[in-house]
Amino acid sequence: MARKVLNSPTYVKPCVVDVAQKLLRPTNWVFMDGKDHVDYRKGLNGLFTRKALELYLPGQEEVYDTYFAKFLEKSEQNHGQPVPFMSTFRELNCAVSCRTFVGHYITDQAVKKIADDYYKITAALELVNFPIIIPFTKTYYGKKAADMVLEEFCRCATKSKVRMRAGGEPTCIMDAWIKTMLDSEQWREKVASGVKVDESTKPPMLLRLFTDFEIAQTIFTFLFAAQDASSSATTWLFQLMADRPDVLDKVREEHLQARGGDKHQRLSMDLLEKMTYTRAVVKEVLRYRPPVLMVPYLVKKPFPISDTYTCPKGSMVVPTLYPALHDPEVYPDPDSFNPDRWITGDAEKASKNWLVFGTGPHYCLGQTYAQLHFIAMIGKAALTLDWKHHTTPLSEQIKVFATIFPEDDCRLVKKIVNTPSPDRILIDVREPTEYNAGFIPTAVNIPISSQPDALFLPADEFEDRFGFHKPSPGHELVFYCKAGVRSSAAAMMALQGGYERVGEYRGSWLEWDKKERRDGEAS
């Protein structure tokens, strides 16, 4: 039923509370309908291609690095005791969005201001509110916050136009969009002047040059779509990973192995597209705790929603997405968190039920970007941080603030993962079954008993066999096993193979695991 509503633009259109048009402005493209809406979206599609998404990764990674340091500082300031992280996750997502959407045209101080005030916009859009702007009400403060965001984004548009006209390379969504506008303008000028032009140089979409305010309005809608939903998904993602350390370990292992043991390797689309398990984890979080529960639609003309009922014109239809994502016929044991259903199960085949990002003419433009953001973020977090979740009776209780969050705001303690330096590789030489049952964070698995020739293989054969780059002779190799016997043998073999910087963790897995259990009980 939800899918039918979302795919019926002839009969319905999305609607929001009255004050939304006052905050986003009635001329905003999201309030367009029919052909006007479709045509406008076509001009935005190019901002979310694979090539475009690659451009935005450096800015996103910069934010991750900054905020992971803040996570550690927050836990240290609280003396290692659990502290709610939901508000910090909201700030992180606001910063990622701003850096992706408007790059460095906005200051860190302005990003912090937007993050701090954005909840006022969310509160102003609650269903029960004044439909007009009355001083000192939620709608009043929401309007002031929205005006501030639009002013900031207008200033960013002005700067971007100057830089793009000067031949700068795009680094954010605003740059990429404005560059297409300027390329379109140059094309039209050449054609109008009679200059012979090569058709292959014609922009994929010919756009007009939008005003700074029109650009700001559109970028604001991206932030509007992303902020609450992404903050919800991030909060649940960190909480669910902490509650399931086996899943977190698998994510950590996948990201480390894809980087060839170098946790400092920077993000790329090629790297992110290798993250099969992490992608499954992200999709399961979005299914298990969907950040969008329902989408209200206004009936434009009598809508035969079923064989027995026709919705009258002017009525509201509110399809809820939760039942489709928790349908036991499609997702067995739907109230269990199980990432494997996306790998070994049939979940990927259930495209009709996958309504997290909607469907039809108003589906989410940024759905690929959003999933890549979560994959990149949780992967980098797994490589650089460890975190414990302090569960309370409210941890699994849901509160609704535009979307869903844990009632206790996700109480975590974060600490740094003690990982090797970039030129040091930690190697677990136990067998894969032992390794998969638990390993020291950042360790790669080279089972020395069943693969004694591993360090003597040519580099390409090594990578084919193990799925990551062979350590170079310049790397320092540190071996461990269960109790220190196999690691000593591996160290000797490494020396025979030409490696000069070789070490052992004599206590190996048994010592490390015992210490982690003791620390966990203490916290």
PDB file of all heavy atoms in Angstrom, residues 254 258 269-277 463 469:
ATOM      1  N   GLU A 254      37.344  -5.914   7.786  1.00  0.00           N
ATOM      2  CA  GLU A 254      37.127  -5.664   6.365  1.00  0.00           C
ATOM      3  C   GLU A 254      37.843  -4.393   5.912  1.00  0.00           C
ATOM      4  O   GLU A 254      38.508  -4.378   4.864  1.00  0.00           O
ATOM      5  CB  GLU A 254      35.627  -5.557   6.069  1.00  0.00           C
ATOM      6  CG  GLU A 254      35.316  -5.322   4.609  1.00  0.00           C
ATOM      7  CD  GLU A 254      33.820  -5.355   4.321  1.00  0.00           C
ATOM      8  OE1 GLU A 254      33.087  -4.481   4.840  1.00  0.00           O
ATOM      9  OE2 GLU A 254      33.376  -6.253   3.585  1.00  0.00           O
ATOM     10  N   ALA A 258      41.127  -4.330   3.397  1.00  0.00           N
ATOM     11  CA  ALA A 258      40.995  -3.623   2.120  1.00  0.00           C
ATOM     12  C   ALA A 258      42.084  -2.564   1.957  1.00  0.00           C
ATOM     13  O   ALA A 258      42.478  -2.225   0.839  1.00  0.00           O
ATOM     14  CB  ALA A 258      39.618  -2.972   2.016  1.00  0.00           C
ATOM     15  N   MET A 269      36.399   5.877  -3.780  1.00  0.00           N
ATOM     16  CA  MET A 269      35.233   5.097  -4.186  1.00  0.00           C
ATOM     17  C   MET A 269      35.612   3.632  -4.380  1.00  0.00           C
ATOM     18  O   MET A 269      34.846   2.727  -4.024  1.00  0.00           O
ATOM     19  CB  MET A 269      34.628   5.674  -5.462  1.00  0.00           C
ATOM     20  CG  MET A 269      33.914   6.991  -5.267  1.00  0.00           C
ATOM     21  SD  MET A 269      32.466   6.872  -4.180  1.00  0.00           S
ATOM     22  CE  MET A 269      31.366   5.916  -5.226  1.00  0.00           C
ATOM     23  N   ASP A 270      36.780   3.383  -4.955  1.00  0.00           N
ATOM     24  CA  ASP A 270      37.226   1.999  -5.131  1.00  0.00           C
ATOM     25  C   ASP A 270      37.274   1.273  -3.789  1.00  0.00           C
ATOM     26  O   ASP A 270      36.871   0.114  -3.677  1.00  0.00           O
ATOM     27  CB  ASP A 270      38.612   1.956  -5.791  1.00  0.00           C
ATOM     28  CG  ASP A 270      38.571   2.299  -7.269  1.00  0.00           C
ATOM     29  OD1 ASP A 270      37.478   2.225  -7.857  1.00  0.00           O
ATOM     30  OD2 ASP A 270      39.626   2.644  -7.832  1.00  0.00           O
ATOM     31  N   LEU A 271      37.784   1.948  -2.773  1.00  0.00           N
ATOM     32  CA  LEU A 271      37.887   1.343  -1.449  1.00  0.00           C
ATOM     33  C   LEU A 271      36.502   1.078  -0.858  1.00  0.00           C
ATOM     34  O   LEU A 271      36.216  -0.032  -0.377  1.00  0.00           O
ATOM     35  CB  LEU A 271      38.677   2.269  -0.526  1.00  0.00           C
ATOM     36  CG  LEU A 271      38.990   1.750   0.875  1.00  0.00           C
ATOM     37  CD1 LEU A 271      39.960   0.577   0.817  1.00  0.00           C
ATOM     38  CD2 LEU A 271      39.567   2.867   1.743  1.00  0.00           C
ATOM     39  N   LEU A 272      35.625   2.061  -0.918  1.00  0.00           N
ATOM     40  CA  LEU A 272      34.299   1.920  -0.317  1.00  0.00           C
ATOM     41  C   LEU A 272      33.475   0.840  -1.011  1.00  0.00           C
ATOM     42  O   LEU A 272      32.667   0.150  -0.370  1.00  0.00           O
ATOM     43  CB  LEU A 272      33.556   3.254  -0.356  1.00  0.00           C
ATOM     44  CG  LEU A 272      34.149   4.371   0.505  1.00  0.00           C
ATOM     45  CD1 LEU A 272      33.362   5.663   0.323  1.00  0.00           C
ATOM     46  CD2 LEU A 272      34.179   3.971   1.978  1.00  0.00           C
ATOM     47  N   GLU A 273      33.678   0.688  -2.303  1.00  0.00           N
ATOM     48  CA  GLU A 273      32.903  -0.311  -3.040  1.00  0.00           C
ATOM     49  C   GLU A 273      33.326  -1.742  -2.733  1.00  0.00           C
ATOM     50  O   GLU A 273      32.649  -2.691  -3.111  1.00  0.00           O
ATOM     51  CB  GLU A 273      33.003  -0.027  -4.544  1.00  0.00           C
ATOM     52  CG  GLU A 273      32.197   1.205  -4.948  1.00  0.00           C
ATOM     53  CD  GLU A 273      32.482   1.685  -6.359  1.00  0.00           C
ATOM     54  OE1 GLU A 273      33.454   1.177  -6.965  1.00  0.00           O
ATOM     55  OE2 GLU A 273      31.752   2.565  -6.842  1.00  0.00           O
ATOM     56  N   LYS A 274      34.442  -1.908  -2.024  1.00  0.00           N
ATOM     57  CA  LYS A 274      34.883  -3.239  -1.600  1.00  0.00           C
ATOM     58  C   LYS A 274      34.228  -3.673  -0.296  1.00  0.00           C
ATOM     59  O   LYS A 274      34.343  -4.837   0.100  1.00  0.00           O
ATOM     60  CB  LYS A 274      36.401  -3.248  -1.406  1.00  0.00           C
ATOM     61  CG  LYS A 274      37.223  -3.052  -2.660  1.00  0.00           C
ATOM     62  CD  LYS A 274      38.713  -3.029  -2.321  1.00  0.00           C
ATOM     63  CE  LYS A 274      39.578  -2.780  -3.547  1.00  0.00           C
ATOM     64  NZ  LYS A 274      41.027  -2.703  -3.194  1.00  0.00           N
ATOM     65  N   MET A 275      33.560  -2.761   0.381  1.00  0.00           N
ATOM     66  CA  MET A 275      33.078  -3.024   1.733  1.00  0.00           C
ATOM     67  C   MET A 275      31.728  -3.751   1.731  1.00  0.00           C
ATOM     68  O   MET A 275      30.699  -3.215   2.126  1.00  0.00           O
ATOM     69  CB  MET A 275      32.976  -1.709   2.518  1.00  0.00           C
ATOM     70  CG  MET A 275      34.266  -0.907   2.546  1.00  0.00           C
ATOM     71  SD  MET A 275      35.640  -1.873   3.216  1.00  0.00           S
ATOM     72  CE  MET A 275      37.020  -0.796   2.852  1.00  0.00           C
ATOM     73  N   THR A 276      31.749  -4.984   1.317  1.00  0.00           N
ATOM     74  CA  THR A 276      30.520  -5.774   1.206  1.00  0.00           C
ATOM     75  C   THR A 276      29.838  -5.954   2.553  1.00  0.00           C
ATOM     76  O   THR A 276      28.620  -5.762   2.683  1.00  0.00           O
ATOM     77  CB  THR A 276      30.825  -7.151   0.595  1.00  0.00           C
ATOM     78  OG1 THR A 276      31.476  -6.967  -0.663  1.00  0.00           O
ATOM     79  CG2 THR A 276      29.555  -7.958   0.397  1.00  0.00           C
ATOM     80  N   TYR A 277      30.611  -6.329   3.558  1.00  0.00           N
ATOM     81  CA  TYR A 277      30.003  -6.581   4.870  1.00  0.00           C
ATOM     82  C   TYR A 277      29.538  -5.280   5.519  1.00  0.00           C
ATOM     83  O   TYR A 277      28.441  -5.226   6.096  1.00  0.00           O
ATOM     84  CB  TYR A 277      30.990  -7.301   5.784  1.00  0.00           C
ATOM     85  CG  TYR A 277      30.362  -7.682   7.108  1.00  0.00           C
ATOM     86  CD1 TYR A 277      29.479  -8.758   7.186  1.00  0.00           C
ATOM     87  CD2 TYR A 277      30.618  -6.954   8.264  1.00  0.00           C
ATOM     88  CE1 TYR A 277      28.874  -9.106   8.394  1.00  0.00           C
ATOM     89  CE2 TYR A 277      30.021  -7.290   9.471  1.00  0.00           C
ATOM     90  CZ  TYR A 277      29.154  -8.363   9.528  1.00  0.00           C
ATOM     91  OH  TYR A 277      28.547  -8.698  10.717  1.00  0.00           O
ATOM     92  N   GLU A 463      48.378 -11.276  -2.880  1.00  0.00           N
ATOM     93  CA  GLU A 463      47.133 -10.494  -2.839  1.00  0.00           C
ATOM     94  C   GLU A 463      45.949 -11.317  -3.311  1.00  0.00           C
ATOM     95  O   GLU A 463      44.848 -11.217  -2.752  1.00  0.00           O
ATOM     96  CB  GLU A 463      47.276  -9.232  -3.694  1.00  0.00           C
ATOM     97  CG  GLU A 463      46.081  -8.302  -3.582  1.00  0.00           C
ATOM     98  CD  GLU A 463      46.319  -6.939  -4.208  1.00  0.00           C
ATOM     99  OE1 GLU A 463      47.451  -6.686  -4.677  1.00  0.00           O
ATOM    100  OE2 GLU A 463      45.372  -6.140  -4.220  1.00  0.00           O
ATOM    101  N   HIS A 469      47.357  -6.324   0.231  1.00  0.00           N
ATOM    102  CA  HIS A 469      48.716  -6.213  -0.292  1.00  0.00           C
ATOM    103  C   HIS A 469      49.719  -6.963   0.593  1.00  0.00           C
ATOM    104  O   HIS A 469      49.592  -6.967   1.832  1.00  0.00           O
ATOM    105  CB  HIS A 469      49.147  -4.747  -0.377  1.00  0.00           C
ATOM    106  CG  HIS A 469      48.326  -3.938  -1.342  1.00  0.00           C
ATOM    107  ND1 HIS A 469      48.152  -4.309  -2.653  1.00  0.00           N
ATOM    108  CD2 HIS A 469      47.641  -2.779  -1.176  1.00  0.00           C
ATOM    109  CE1 HIS A 469      47.402  -3.405  -3.261  1.00  0.00           C
ATOM    110  NE2 HIS A 469      47.064  -2.477  -2.386  1.00  0.00           N
TER     111      HIS A 469
END
